[in-house]
Amino acid sequence: MKKYVCDVCGYIYDPKAGDSGSNIAPETSFEKLPQDWACSICSVGKDQFSPEK
C-alpha cells in the first residue's frame, strides 16, 4: 500500500499505521478512507494529497 503526502503541510498518511486520531484502523489504504476524511494536521481533504514519490 502506498503512502500519501499532504500537499499543504507535508503530513504523510501511512496505511500501515492508519490514523488513530480519526479512528482509521491500521492497514486501511488511502483509497478506502472515507470521502470526508481530512489531514490530521491541517484539515484539508483527500484531494490535497499526492502519492509519495
Side-chain angles (χ1 to χ4, degrees):
M1 285 187 279
K2 220 173 202 187
K3 294 179 183 179
Y4 280 74
V5 181
C6 178
D7 298 331
V8 176
C9 72
Y11 168 77
I12 298 173
Y13 175 73
D14 181 354
K16 290 186 183 204
D19 181 3
S20 61
S22 296
N23 293 321
I24 304 297
E27 302 298 326
T28 302
S29 70
F30 186 80
E31 294 78 17
K32 299 251 185 202
L33 291 172
Q35 280 305 112
D36 62 348
W37 179 83
C39 177
S40 296
I41 295 175
C42 70
S43 300
V44 297
K46 287 174 63 177
D47 61 331
Q48 297 293 309
F49 278 72
S50 300
E52 185 178 58
K53 295 179 181 171

